[in-house]
Amino acid sequence: MEKLKERLDAFSDAVIAIIITIMVLELPLPHHNSLVEYLQFGKAIGIFFISFCFVANIWYQHSMLFIDAETMNNKIFVLEFTFLAFLSLTPIFTKLITVDTNRVTVIAYGILTIIVNGLFIAVSYFVIRQKYSDHKDIEKIFHRIYGNHTNFISLVNVALLILAYFKPGWALWFYLTLPVISFITIREDQTDLQEVTNLSQDDQSQYLQMSNAKLRDFRKQQREISRKYASQRQTNPNWQTDMGTEMSQLFKGSFGDRDFSNGVPHQQPFSGRPNRPQRPRQGHDHHSDKH
């Protein structure tokens, strides 16, 4: 299954590359030295960039997802091919709105993007669930991390469909912002998933119980710490250890009091690295045994 996974990944990359190539070849060239035709050509290029950003963002998310995947099951294969089939319709729908930008064509394009995004979320869920099959709460973790951003993007899509009914031209250009929003949010969600799945079972349970307001504040502080130490990679040889300690302290503040000894928490450092068994601290354990 591992070799088949690699071939599926290569096949998906090839399909996406062909989709972008077809969109370029479908650009209508001006046949006369006319300002109207050049303006139409410029509009076609702009629409191409909208679809290019959409497909390129899908490719980036897909690549990051398949890095996490180790093997594939039949359900993932079926979903993956269904996802690629609908994604392959992008050049046709792009040509439709290029030739005639009206209410029907823009709404049709919007519906296609909703279907593609929905299928990709389904593929992501089953790939992640298979990778983290040893985590009993992985379904709750997935929905907790991806849920807010997914719901937000879904609401934006619905709003754009309504806008397309009244102002199709405006809605079309707003579709350019969706891949940018999606790129930023999904990248952050993937980082959060990696970090949360490296927590102890206890901390995962407490993470799931955090209120939405507290979770937003926690994730904001988490990213500030990540950015802080990202700038120290060349100058601080212990940046990973320092970041892990600060992340652990952040969790201490978010989840309540923890027992720290010499600045080292009992829990695993929240650094995004695999858990390692902790050595018992003899002094503390001996004192506990006396009581």
Side-chain angles (χ1 to χ4, degrees), residues 46-96:
I47 293 173
F48 161 75
F49 276 114
I50 292 172
S51 290
F52 176 85
C53 289
F54 171 67
V55 176
N57 179 57
I58 289 289
W59 173 84
Y60 172 79
Q61 293 182 34
H62 191 273
S63 299
M64 295 300 293
L65 178 68
F66 270 60
I67 287 173
D68 283 340
E70 295 172 359
T71 59
M72 297 285 165
N73 57 35
N74 292 333
K75 186 175 289 187
I76 294 173
F77 274 106
V78 171
L79 278 170
E80 174 73 8
F81 283 121
T82 307
F83 156 73
L84 290 174
F86 278 95
L87 184 63
S88 299
L89 296 174
T90 305
I92 298 173
F93 282 75
T94 301
K95 187 175 182 179
L96 280 175

Side-chain angles (χ1 to χ4, degrees), residues 28 30 36-49 173:
V36 174
E37 289 201 16
Y38 282 121
L39 289 174
Q40 181 64 26
F41 181 60
K43 176 189 171 185
I45 292 175
I47 293 173
F48 161 75
F49 276 114
W173 298 111

Side-chain angles (χ1 to χ4, degrees), residues 74-144:
N74 292 333
K75 186 175 289 187
I76 294 173
F77 274 106
V78 171
L79 278 170
E80 174 73 8
F81 283 121
T82 307
F83 156 73
L84 290 174
F86 278 95
L87 184 63
S88 299
L89 296 174
T90 305
I92 298 173
F93 282 75
T94 301
K95 187 175 182 179
L96 280 175
I97 56 177
T98 301
V99 173
D100 188 6
T101 306
N102 60 49
R103 178 187 300 171
V104 175
T105 56
V106 175
I107 289 177
Y109 182 85
I111 292 172
L112 177 66
T113 62
I114 291 173
I115 293 172
V116 170
N117 283 322
L119 286 169
F120 181 75
I121 291 168
V123 172
S124 302
Y125 168 70
F126 285 106
V127 169
I128 290 170
R129 192 176 75 169
Q130 179 168 295
K131 180 182 178 182
Y132 298 105
S133 56
D134 56 328
H135 291 65
K136 67 175 185 178
D137 290 328
I138 188 59
E139 184 173 350
K140 294 178 182 177
I141 292 171
F142 178 88
H143 289 301
R144 186 63 192 261

Side-chain angles (χ1 to χ4, degrees), residues 245-280:
T245 302
E246 193 163 341
M247 287 287 192
S248 296
Q249 291 171 350
L250 173 62
F251 257 74
K252 174 180 177 289
S254 299
F255 292 160
D257 292 334
R258 298 292 177 104
D259 184 14
F260 276 70
S261 178
N262 298 323
V264 180
H266 281 292
Q267 71 185 80
Q268 291 290 348
F270 189 60
S271 62
R273 290 172 290 176
N275 289 333
R276 294 177 183 174
Q278 298 285 330
R279 290 181 296 179

Side-chain angles (χ1 to χ4, degrees), residues 20 22 24 32 58 64 88 118-119 138 147 175 178 197 201 214 259 278 283:
I20 292 176
I22 292 173
V24 172
H32 302 92
I58 289 289
M64 295 300 293
S88 299
L119 286 169
I138 188 59
Y175 275 112
L178 280 181
T197 50
Q201 192 66 47
K214 192 173 183 180
D259 184 14
Q278 298 285 330

